[in-house]
Amino acid sequence: MTKKDMKNLNTDSVISDYSSERGSNNFSSSRKNRRTRNRRKRHGNSRYAVLFLFIIFGLVIAGFTAKHLLGRMSFFTIQQIVIAGNVNLNSSFLEELAQENIGQNLFQISKSAIEGRYDNIVRIKEMTVTRTLPNKLKISIKEREGFVYIKTKEGILIPVDQEMTILDNRGFYLAEDLPVIHSSIAITDLVPGERIVDEMIREICSFHTSLIASTINEKNVSEYYIKDNSLVIVEAQTGSRISLGSDSYTEKIEKLEFVWQNVGIEKESQLDFRFKNQVVISRL
């Protein structure tokens, strides 16, 4: 190797060492800068979080202060109870339960306490208490409405809603025009607020739901009962009996639709749908 070659080799080595050292310094500097930016970012986020908490705290304090001030103003004294949404429940009865709130400040009342006074009324499915400025308390009711009556073995009619909840049988509910299901259930076994567990009743209610979904006018059905293991309908207008058997109810509802719309039902007739391809009609 000549002196010239050795000189070039030494020069290349120095340049390589310098480049490596410079690259290492740049990497170290870049990593340090990133750590600094991250710390600044974290500090910035922390400041925003603290500011947000202060804003929330301020709003809460302002809300409590406003409610306290409004609660001392006679302008918001309750003067009227408004009942809305009830169908069968008596409005005067419902108003009476909230009468003790008359004269109280609209913003000092407890909504949950008011709702608690109505808990034992089985007919109430949902209710909402709202403040109507400046001086009204509104109680909105969603009632459980009767779907069918169950006739107990004692001959007493007990209404049941579509969710199979047993309702109470106060006299003014009897204005509900509902079909009657005859049963051998004792009245002591039908507790208001509980659900029907009797399979026969549930099956007839399921059939009635399907009938309502058809084109048949549900008011044409006055009674249901089981005879010889067959579901029997009593037609409301003619008093005729329609025997449907114990199965294939969907198909039989379609046949019943056809008969009602195209043939009609004569007074005091017996229609037997228990046969597969025919309807047997006779006199009672």
Side-chain angles (χ1 to χ4, degrees), residues 19 34 40 47 55 69 71 120 131 148 165 179 194 201 230 241 243 250 255 261 271 278:
S19 298
R34 282 199 301 271
R40 289 175 180 172
R47 285 196 295 271
I55 292 173
L69 292 174
N120 293 328
R131 302 177 178 93
V148 297
T165 302
E194 294 187 359
I201 300 294
S230 174
R241 269 57 174 173
S243 184
T250 300
K255 290 181 180 179
Q261 294 171 4
L271 288 80
Q278 62 179 332

Short mmCIF file of all heavy atoms in Angstrom, two decimals, residues 19 34 40 47 55 69 71 120 131 148 165 179 194 201 230 241 243 250 255 261 271 278:
data_model
loop_
_atom_site.label_atom_id
_atom_site.label_comp_id
_atom_site.label_asym_id
_atom_site.label_seq_id
_atom_site.Cartn_x
_atom_site.Cartn_y
_atom_site.Cartn_z
N SER A 19 -19.35 11.31 10.81
CA SER A 19 -20.76 11.14 10.41
C SER A 19 -21.54 10.34 11.45
O SER A 19 -22.68 10.64 11.77
CB SER A 19 -20.83 10.42 9.05
OG SER A 19 -20.20 11.20 8.06
N ARG A 34 -38.71 15.41 21.31
CA ARG A 34 -40.00 14.75 21.38
C ARG A 34 -40.51 14.66 22.82
O ARG A 34 -41.69 14.87 23.10
CB ARG A 34 -39.93 13.35 20.76
CG ARG A 34 -39.96 13.34 19.24
CD ARG A 34 -40.34 11.96 18.71
NE ARG A 34 -39.41 10.92 19.15
CZ ARG A 34 -38.32 10.59 18.49
NH1 ARG A 34 -37.99 11.22 17.35
NH2 ARG A 34 -37.52 9.64 18.94
N ARG A 40 -45.03 19.10 27.26
CA ARG A 40 -45.84 20.31 27.05
C ARG A 40 -47.29 19.96 26.73
O ARG A 40 -48.23 20.60 27.19
CB ARG A 40 -45.24 21.15 25.93
CG ARG A 40 -43.93 21.82 26.31
CD ARG A 40 -43.34 22.52 25.12
NE ARG A 40 -42.07 23.19 25.45
CZ ARG A 40 -41.27 23.75 24.56
NH1 ARG A 40 -41.58 23.69 23.27
NH2 ARG A 40 -40.15 24.32 24.96
N ARG A 47 -54.27 21.29 31.97
CA ARG A 47 -54.88 22.61 32.19
C ARG A 47 -56.32 22.63 31.70
O ARG A 47 -57.22 23.17 32.35
CB ARG A 47 -54.05 23.70 31.50
CG ARG A 47 -52.75 24.03 32.22
CD ARG A 47 -52.19 25.34 31.72
NE ARG A 47 -51.80 25.28 30.31
CZ ARG A 47 -50.60 24.90 29.89
NH1 ARG A 47 -49.67 24.55 30.77
NH2 ARG A 47 -50.32 24.87 28.61
N ILE A 55 -65.58 24.50 35.34
CA ILE A 55 -66.81 24.92 34.66
C ILE A 55 -68.00 24.08 35.13
O ILE A 55 -69.07 24.59 35.44
CB ILE A 55 -66.65 24.81 33.13
CG1 ILE A 55 -65.65 25.86 32.63
CG2 ILE A 55 -68.00 24.99 32.42
CD1 ILE A 55 -65.30 25.72 31.16
N LEU A 69 -83.30 29.91 44.93
CA LEU A 69 -83.94 31.21 44.79
C LEU A 69 -85.37 31.08 44.25
O LEU A 69 -86.30 31.72 44.74
CB LEU A 69 -83.12 32.11 43.85
CG LEU A 69 -81.74 32.55 44.39
CD1 LEU A 69 -80.98 33.31 43.31
CD2 LEU A 69 -81.91 33.41 45.63
N GLY A 71 -87.24 28.51 44.57
CA GLY A 71 -88.04 27.85 45.60
C GLY A 71 -88.54 28.77 46.67
O GLY A 71 -89.39 28.38 47.48
N ASN A 120 -99.81 2.01 44.20
CA ASN A 120 -100.74 0.90 44.44
C ASN A 120 -101.90 0.85 43.46
O ASN A 120 -102.77 -0.02 43.58
CB ASN A 120 -101.28 0.97 45.87
CG ASN A 120 -100.20 0.71 46.90
OD1 ASN A 120 -99.27 -0.06 46.66
ND2 ASN A 120 -100.31 1.35 48.06
N ARG A 131 -93.43 19.94 35.92
CA ARG A 131 -93.76 21.30 36.39
C ARG A 131 -94.16 22.14 35.18
O ARG A 131 -93.41 22.23 34.21
CB ARG A 131 -92.57 21.93 37.09
CG ARG A 131 -92.05 21.13 38.28
CD ARG A 131 -90.81 21.81 38.87
NE ARG A 131 -90.31 21.11 40.05
CZ ARG A 131 -89.39 20.17 40.04
NH1 ARG A 131 -88.82 19.83 38.88
NH2 ARG A 131 -89.00 19.60 41.15
N VAL A 148 -109.45 -8.41 27.91
CA VAL A 148 -110.56 -9.35 28.02
C VAL A 148 -111.03 -9.36 29.48
O VAL A 148 -110.32 -8.89 30.38
CB VAL A 148 -110.16 -10.80 27.62
CG1 VAL A 148 -109.75 -10.87 26.16
CG2 VAL A 148 -109.07 -11.34 28.53
N THR A 165 -101.68 -8.90 32.71
CA THR A 165 -101.72 -8.37 34.07
C THR A 165 -103.16 -8.31 34.55
O THR A 165 -104.04 -7.78 33.84
CB THR A 165 -101.10 -6.96 34.12
OG1 THR A 165 -99.75 -7.03 33.66
CG2 THR A 165 -101.11 -6.42 35.55
N PRO A 179 -114.51 -8.86 25.37
CA PRO A 179 -115.01 -10.23 25.34
C PRO A 179 -114.79 -10.93 26.68
O PRO A 179 -113.85 -10.59 27.41
CB PRO A 179 -114.20 -10.88 24.22
CG PRO A 179 -112.96 -10.08 24.16
CD PRO A 179 -113.34 -8.68 24.49
N GLU A 194 -100.80 -9.01 39.51
CA GLU A 194 -100.04 -10.20 39.15
C GLU A 194 -100.38 -10.64 37.73
O GLU A 194 -101.36 -10.16 37.13
CB GLU A 194 -100.32 -11.34 40.14
CG GLU A 194 -99.82 -11.04 41.55
CD GLU A 194 -99.93 -12.23 42.47
OE1 GLU A 194 -100.43 -13.29 42.02
OE2 GLU A 194 -99.53 -12.11 43.65
N ILE A 201 -106.27 -19.69 29.59
CA ILE A 201 -106.56 -18.25 29.44
C ILE A 201 -105.54 -17.60 28.51
O ILE A 201 -105.89 -16.81 27.62
CB ILE A 201 -106.55 -17.55 30.81
CG1 ILE A 201 -107.61 -18.14 31.73
CG2 ILE A 201 -106.75 -16.05 30.63
CD1 ILE A 201 -109.02 -17.92 31.29
N SER A 230 -112.70 -28.00 22.60
CA SER A 230 -112.74 -27.11 21.44
C SER A 230 -112.99 -25.68 21.89
O SER A 230 -113.82 -25.43 22.77
CB SER A 230 -113.86 -27.55 20.48
OG SER A 230 -114.01 -26.63 19.41
N ARG A 241 -122.89 -19.80 17.82
CA ARG A 241 -121.69 -20.44 18.36
C ARG A 241 -120.79 -20.88 17.22
O ARG A 241 -121.26 -21.46 16.24
CB ARG A 241 -122.06 -21.66 19.19
CG ARG A 241 -122.28 -21.41 20.68
CD ARG A 241 -123.33 -20.39 20.98
NE ARG A 241 -123.59 -20.32 22.43
CZ ARG A 241 -124.37 -19.41 22.97
NH1 ARG A 241 -124.96 -18.49 22.21
NH2 ARG A 241 -124.57 -19.38 24.27
N SER A 243 -117.42 -23.12 16.64
CA SER A 243 -116.50 -24.08 17.24
C SER A 243 -115.25 -24.19 16.37
O SER A 243 -115.32 -24.48 15.17
CB SER A 243 -117.18 -25.45 17.36
OG SER A 243 -116.33 -26.35 18.02
N THR A 250 -104.64 -20.16 13.11
CA THR A 250 -104.38 -19.17 12.06
C THR A 250 -105.19 -19.48 10.80
O THR A 250 -105.83 -18.60 10.21
CB THR A 250 -102.88 -19.14 11.71
OG1 THR A 250 -102.13 -18.81 12.88
CG2 THR A 250 -102.60 -18.10 10.63
N LYS A 255 -110.50 -18.80 7.44
CA LYS A 255 -111.81 -19.32 7.03
C LYS A 255 -112.94 -18.50 7.63
O LYS A 255 -113.94 -18.21 6.97
CB LYS A 255 -111.94 -20.79 7.46
CG LYS A 255 -111.05 -21.75 6.70
CD LYS A 255 -111.29 -23.17 7.19
CE LYS A 255 -110.41 -24.17 6.44
NZ LYS A 255 -110.61 -25.56 6.93
N GLN A 261 -117.34 -12.35 5.78
CA GLN A 261 -117.39 -11.36 4.72
C GLN A 261 -118.26 -11.78 3.54
O GLN A 261 -118.87 -10.94 2.87
CB GLN A 261 -115.97 -11.05 4.22
CG GLN A 261 -115.09 -10.36 5.26
CD GLN A 261 -113.65 -10.27 4.81
OE1 GLN A 261 -113.31 -10.64 3.69
NE2 GLN A 261 -112.78 -9.77 5.68
N LEU A 271 -121.69 -23.03 13.88
CA LEU A 271 -120.70 -23.18 12.82
C LEU A 271 -119.54 -24.00 13.36
O LEU A 271 -118.93 -23.63 14.37
CB LEU A 271 -120.18 -21.83 12.33
CG LEU A 271 -121.15 -20.97 11.50
CD1 LEU A 271 -122.15 -20.25 12.38
CD2 LEU A 271 -120.38 -19.97 10.67
N GLN A 278 -114.09 -28.25 5.25
CA GLN A 278 -115.46 -27.78 5.18
C GLN A 278 -115.87 -27.12 6.49
O GLN A 278 -115.24 -27.31 7.53
CB GLN A 278 -116.41 -28.94 4.88
CG GLN A 278 -116.42 -30.03 5.93
CD GLN A 278 -117.38 -31.16 5.60
OE1 GLN A 278 -118.38 -30.94 4.92
NE2 GLN A 278 -117.08 -32.36 6.06
#
